[in-house]
Amino acid sequence: MEKLRELNRRFVAAVSAADGAYYCWAVRSGITPHTLDLLYALDDGLPRSQKQICEEWAIPKTTVNTVVKACQAAGYITLKPMPGQPRQRMLCLTPTGLTYAREALAELYVLENQAMAAVVKRFGPEFVEAVELYCAQFQKALSENLSEKEENSSV
């Protein structure tokens, strides 16, 4: 059990260091960290709702809303109606926004590719699958734990 605790501590420290590296890169590049998250999320060209961005990237709704408004004012994002969901809008990068995102993130993508190439060389592409599995298992455990607590508090 103690070995698992140490592995978890190392993993969380590594994830925090990676988050810190993205934060430093964003600030150095003149982009707010949450704007980086939004541009990164939308740079694949697939529209997403603000709700999806919040869930996929673990960003508070108010923060996403603030960043969306700023990017919309800059002409980087448009909001399109979501079929069957009149209250939700799909976020889409405008052509200007796509150009801005690709130019702003180009250096970051090179740095990420260098890091991932080294990891894949040593551990293979299964490395990413292992991290995804860890995250899914941790989210499942948290959800089950919260459900148990809610059940016990309502008794």
Side-chain angles (χ1 to χ4, degrees):
M1 190 64 122
E2 191 61 33
K3 183 166 177 101
L4 288 177
R5 180 71 218 121
E6 180 57 27
L7 288 172
N8 275 301
R9 181 175 295 286
R10 287 174 53 199
F11 181 76
V12 171
V15 169
S16 293
D19 283 345
Y22 280 98
Y23 176 88
C24 288
W25 183 88
V27 170
R28 182 183 56 95
S29 299
I31 302 170
T32 69
H34 290 301
T35 299
L36 169 63
D37 293 340
L38 184 64
L39 293 175
Y40 198 105
L42 294 173
D43 187 39
D44 64 2
L46 301 175
R48 289 175 179 78
S49 68
Q50 288 189 37
K51 181 180 179 183
Q52 288 171 312
I53 298 288
C54 293
E55 291 170 358
E56 290 173 16
W57 294 86
I59 306 170
K61 290 178 185 179
T62 54
T63 302
V64 170
N65 191 46
T66 300
V67 174
V68 165
K69 286 180 180 179
C71 287
Q72 202 175 8
Y76 298 149
I77 289 178
T78 59
L79 301 176
K80 297 182 179 179
M82 192 169 169
Q85 307 248 338
R87 292 181 45 100
Q88 289 196 39
R89 301 276 184 256
M90 298 303 288
L91 306 177
C92 302
L93 288 174
T94 63
T96 302
L98 187 57
T99 299
Y100 173 71
R102 297 261 161 93
E103 289 174 3
L105 302 177
E107 176 190 36
L108 179 64
Y109 292 160
V110 169
L111 298 171
E112 285 179 327
N113 287 344
Q114 290 172 352
M116 187 58 74
V119 172
V120 169
K121 183 177 181 181
R122 180 164 178 196
F123 298 104
E126 295 81 14
F127 161 77
V128 175
E129 292 173 23
V131 172
E132 290 171 338
L133 177 61
Y134 174 89
C135 292
Q137 291 297 317
F138 185 55
Q139 288 172 333
K140 179 182 175 197
L142 282 174
S143 178
E144 290 170 356
N145 181 270
L146 291 173
S147 293
E148 287 176 16
K149 286 183 178 183
E150 287 175 2
E151 287 176 14
N152 291 337
S153 68
S154 64
V155 174

